[in-house]
DNA sequence: CACCGATTGTCAATCGTTGTAGACATCCAC
DNA sequence: GTGGATGTCTACAACGATTGACAATCGGTG
């Protein structure tokens, strides 16, 4: 049924070793032999047995991507992009849904998958795996997104403080005075983005108001919608909202629409991530747009480099380029 | 570094095979031995090597899910659901983006991944892999979604004709007279849904108008937006639109908003899939809601059953339950 | 013609796990 | 206490690809 190396060898009239040499680009091989072997491989549609190869070589050319949930557009798009970046380099991505909290354990337990995978790209969100410190899985790991402690791992992330600063500054430049923030939860993402938000307020000489900083239990539409309702119930509702991701923003927009408020006239809204939904929404969503392709490509490259044994003990920290996309939700 | 079976055996003072037996729930083992072995396993934090196991057993407990693109919400949600269903059964899903056309090849080529995976769940959309007929990969395959030819493979799908009939009938019941359809492309999905659409029109004694049936090159927001623009440019624009998936509908809604038309007053819109975006959109989207969890669970179960060697030569064809969710876009 | 380097073949071992077949002990019945 | 029937565990050989040491062959050269 399954064609083996020996089948190829037999058909090409060479030894097994030679076929293996051809496949692994061993230097000393005649063009003629190589052609013969490659013809046989093509004819038989031979695919090396991944299990056997990985067992022998200790390398599988599989990496894992751990994300909270692939149902969320941002993570779905991220997964798609990482998958593509990996495929370009001939390696396969195994996507793992950590489903929130138990992520750190799950990642060590399941994640390692009995030595099948060569490394992990880990993208936490509403989870604070400080435990990661001790997560000496022995396998290379690249972290995506904010993480307070630097130097612990390789990391690829946008400068969230600066981006949040820009987003907030944009709202200020529109002349808004009561600018709320949604998503200041206990997650590190929330903390870092709030930092940029407050910094921008301060730079404009505006005080920050605790009543305008809303936590969100998750980063979903529902949470955004709920938070927005709370904001509207305030004696003095905001005239602008910076949501820490696009889903929150879309939820907020929904609430605003239900309340009969106009966007951006009554309330301006900014998001973060630039997911496709936001681009097509009415009003379209002003947001921070990371270069996801860059992110994916560099994360994969970084991991593979680490797997190859390069990099030594210094941990690299790459900063993803971003732009503020001004759209209808702030009067673009 | 990595602990092997033999390490566990040494520590427990038994043979390698006995440890293996314990792990695989071999019946004849003393409670004492089992306890000893389990203690050793726990102490060493032993994890079986997936490659070795898979090599020896010819089974990996990995299945692949081939979808056009995981960036699309429907497929992302489907992937998440299938992943969960598989995890519940202790198996791992490898998600493969076929990226449109070359899917049939890609699936045979990459998909098999050198015998690593035990079977495939294949979900085509805007692609017509009639070639699948000959795709005798030897591995079990379950098809999701419409496919004209029955009997060729196991399949899990919603009754698209009936669902489309219901969606269209709903629009008719609202008293709409010019009901357009977006997405009647060359794909089988388009063909099947158009069938239900026309059937409903006919049942109501309404003729179908070719000018109101728009093809869509893809099933994305952009395609929906473009198609809607064409419809609005007609001398006699429609007063209702049935979009063959939610993304098309969201794109259409965007165009309607830009044109200053009210939904549902001027134009009523129905989608298909019930993705989260539609639920939170303003106006929220009336749509056909498949029971995705049911779909995922049964698809996985079907595949595993087939992998286990059951089922014989008859091909099962499961029909996914669905409901029409009436929301604001049709005045719900 | 002998020699040299480049290329290919032979042989065996290895990766970690599991199936097969059999060894050894234990227990019951006669 | 012997025969059989269990029940428990172990030795050995695979699964398929890779690698290393070494021999064998080839073509061409001096």
């Amino acid at each position: 049924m399954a064609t083996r190396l020996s089948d190829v060898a037999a058909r090409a009239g060479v030894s097994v070793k030679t076929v293996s040499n051809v496949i692994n680009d061993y230097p000393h091989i005649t063009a003629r032999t190589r052609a013969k072997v490659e013809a046989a491989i093509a004819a038989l549609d031979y695919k090396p047995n991944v299990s056997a190869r990985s067992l022998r070589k200790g390398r599988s050319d599989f990496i894992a991507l751990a994300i909270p949930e692939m149902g969320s557009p941002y993570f779905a798009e991220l997964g798609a992009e990482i998958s593509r970046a990996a495929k370009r380099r001939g390696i396969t991505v195994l996507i793992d849904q950590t489903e929130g909290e138990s992520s750190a354990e799950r990642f060590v337990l399941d994640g390692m998958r009995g030595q099948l995978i060569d490394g992990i790209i880990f993208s936490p969100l509403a989870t604070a795996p400080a435990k990661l410190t001790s997560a000496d899985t022995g396998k290379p790991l690249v972290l995506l997104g904010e993480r307070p402690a630097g130097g612990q791992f390789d990391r690829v992330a946008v400068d969230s403080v600066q981006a949040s600063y820009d987003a907030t500054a944009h709202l200020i430049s529109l002349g808004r005075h009561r600018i709320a923030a949604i998503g200041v939860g206990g997650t590190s993402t929330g903390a870092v983005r709030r930092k940029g938000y407050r910094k921008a307020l301060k730079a404009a000489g505006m005080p920050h108001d605790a009543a305008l900083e809303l936590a969100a239990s998750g980063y979903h539409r529902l949470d955004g919608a709920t938070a927005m309702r709370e904001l509207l119930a305030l004696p003095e509702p905001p005239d602008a909202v910076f949501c820490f991701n696009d889903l929150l923003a879309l939820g907020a927009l929904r609430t605003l629409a239900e309340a009969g408020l106009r966007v951006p006239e009554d309330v301006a809204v900014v998001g973060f991530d630039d997911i496709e939904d936001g681009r097509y929404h009415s009003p379209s969503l002003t947001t921070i747009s990371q270069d996801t392709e860059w992110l994916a490509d560099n994360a994969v490259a970084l991991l593979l480099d680490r797997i190859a044994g390069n990099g030594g003990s210094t941990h690299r920290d790459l900063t993803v380029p971003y732009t503020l996309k001004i759209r209808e939700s702030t009067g673009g």
Side-chain angles (χ1 to χ4, degrees), chain A:
Chain A
M1 168 100 280
T3 58
R4 303 193 280 317
L5 206 47
S6 59
D7 299 330
V8 177
R11 187 174 225 277
V14 298
S15 80
V16 175
K17 182 87 207 301
T18 303
V19 180
S20 174
N21 284 339
V22 168
I23 294 176
N24 298 337
D25 287 322
Y26 182 76
H28 305 297
I29 301 177
T30 341
R32 232 173 62 80
T33 313
R34 160 165 281 123
K36 255 195 315 188
V37 172
E38 279 170 350
I41 290 181
L44 296 174
D45 189 32
Y46 168 75
K47 297 277 168 221
N49 183 308
V50 177
S51 303
R53 164 176 291 184
S54 146
L55 175 60
R56 178 64 232 241
K57 302 229 288 191
R59 274 288 185 75
S60 63
D61 287 345
F62 275 67
I63 62 174
L65 170 65
I67 53 179
E69 44 175 0
M70 73 178 97
S72 284
Y74 174 70
F75 291 113
E77 289 175 15
L78 179 66
E81 215 57 71
I82 297 242
S83 244
R84 260 190 283 274
K87 190 165 280 177
R88 257 181 262 131
R89 294 176 165 79
I91 76 169
T92 303
V93 176
L94 230 122
I95 299 181
D96 220 18
Q97 296 194 83
T98 57
E99 315 254 13
E101 3 93 42
S102 63
S103 54
E105 295 155 331
R106 149 77 48 60
F107 131 80
V108 178
L109 259 61
D110 281 21
M112 284 319 160
R113 256 172 241 300
Q115 296 125 75
L116 179 68
I117 62 172
D118 298 338
I120 298 193
I121 297 179
F122 191 56
S123 169
L125 172 64
T127 163
K131 307 178 187 173
L132 266 191
T133 323
S134 67
D136 279 352
T137 61
K139 306 261 180 175
L141 181 151
V142 169
L143 221 45
L144 301 186
E146 17 273 347
R147 186 110 330 265
Q152 195 68 269
F153 295 104
D154 287 324
R155 198 175 74 111
V156 181
V158 77
D159 181 347
S160 248
V161 175
Q162 185 61 43
S164 301
Y165 181 97
D166 291 355
T168 311
H170 169 58
L171 290 172
I172 295 173
S173 78
L174 298 176
R176 306 292 163 146
H177 294 97
R178 287 186 61 72
I179 303 177
I182 298 181
V184 304
T187 77
S188 42
T189 301
V192 177
R193 296 190 180 168
R194 180 174 65 181
K195 193 168 164 191
Y197 159 76
R198 286 189 178 174
K199 204 165 147 188
L201 291 183
K202 189 168 182 183
M206 299 164 66
H208 67 261
D209 180 349
L212 292 180
E213 294 183 351
L214 290 222
S217 54
Y219 267 50
H220 297 283
R221 288 182 177 83
L222 180 61
D223 305 301
T226 307
M228 194 68 227
R229 263 192 293 276
E230 282 186 48
L231 286 173
L232 293 183
L234 289 178
E236 216 181 334
D239 56 5
V241 189
F242 171 32
C243 300
F244 289 1
N245 83 349
D246 279 1
L247 285 184
L248 288 173
L250 291 171
L253 286 178
R254 171 74 202 174
T255 295
L256 288 168
E258 282 170 0
L261 290 169
R262 291 165 310 158
V263 176
E265 293 81 353
D266 300 323
V267 182
V269 177
V270 176
F272 201 114
D273 282 346
D274 194 19
I275 62 178
E276 210 194 73
D277 320 23
R279 298 203 277 278
Y280 279 85
H281 197 90
S282 295
S284 57
L285 183 62
T286 294
T287 192
I288 297 289
S289 176
Q290 308 182 38
D291 188 337
T292 312
E293 192 179 336
W294 190 98
L295 166 70
D297 208 64
N298 282 85
V300 171
L302 198 53
L303 184 63
L304 290 186
D305 194 47
R306 185 62 76 178
I307 290 172
N310 306 327
S313 59
T314 53
H315 290 101
R316 276 160 294 183
D317 200 319
L318 273 50
T319 302
V320 184
Y322 72 91
T323 53
L324 174 67
K325 302 267 188 200
I326 299 176
R327 303 212 181 90
E328 293 165 0
S329 71
T330 60

